[in-house]
């Protein structure tokens, strides 16, 4: 059974930082591209960042580039999202994603999400 369990969300003031974690089980972790997505209130889910199986290739959404950093520890089967200089518009439910294979038709798994609220 595949499980992705996120943690680290919460309430933070503008300009603050959070570190999100996602622990995976039930998958061959290094074989999966891992990603973070988010869904702001009333909006669709959007890509935040992805990282390749070996960790050497990362991609970021323009809205967060330079402020967020994705990383992974394959020994711990964990992917992280370090979020700095947070803004109110970063408020969203953040989801961990594990993807294997082609973009269409590959295996895709989601965590349950963790709420991040940026407010003074």
């Amino acid at each position: 059974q595949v499980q992705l369990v996120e943690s680290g969300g919460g309430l933070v003031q503008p300009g603050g930082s959070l570190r999100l974690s996602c622990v995976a089980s039930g998958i061959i972790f290094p074989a999966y591209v891992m990603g973070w997505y988010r869904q702001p209130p009333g909006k669709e889910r959007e890509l935040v960042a992805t990282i390749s199986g070996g960790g050497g290739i990362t991609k970021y959404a323009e809205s967060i580039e330079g402020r967020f950093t994705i990383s992974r520890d394959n020994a711990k089967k964990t992917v992280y999202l370090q979020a700095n200089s947070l803004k109110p518009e970063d408020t969203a439910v953040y989801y961990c994603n594990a993807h294997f294979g082609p973009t269409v038709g590959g295996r895709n798994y989601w965590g349950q999400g963790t709420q991040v609220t940026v407010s003074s």
Side-chain angles (χ1 to χ4, degrees):
Q1 181 181 359
V2 178
Q3 280 194 313
L4 301 176
V5 180
E6 301 103 331
S7 62
L11 174 64
V12 62
Q13 292 188 341
S17 297
L18 281 176
R19 189 194 197 202
L20 306 183
S21 300
C22 170
V23 180
S25 60
I27 59 173
I28 302 173
F29 189 72
Y32 282 72
V33 173
M34 299 300 296
W36 287 96
Y37 290 70
R38 68 186 183 185
Q39 186 164 14
K43 297 184 179 180
E44 293 187 354
R45 192 173 298 190
E46 62 186 21
L47 172 69
V48 175
T50 62
I51 186 166
S52 61
I57 300 173
T58 56
K59 296 182 180 179
Y60 295 94
E62 283 189 14
S63 60
I64 57 87
E65 196 155 13
R67 299 188 295 121
F68 291 14
T69 303
I70 190 170
S71 62
R72 66 190 294 161
D73 184 333
N74 284 349
K76 295 182 179 180
K77 297 186 177 181
T78 302
V79 61
Y80 305 98
L81 184 69
Q82 178 67 43
N84 298 330
S85 303
L86 283 160
K87 305 175 181 180
E89 51 264 43
D90 294 319
T91 294
V93 178
Y94 283 71
Y95 295 92
C96 178
N97 173 265
H99 184 84
F100 175 81
T103 302
V104 178
R107 297 178 189 175
N108 216 27
Y109 301 104
W110 294 93
Q112 81 288 350
T114 186
Q115 176 70 47
V116 172
T117 301
V118 184
S119 175
S120 55

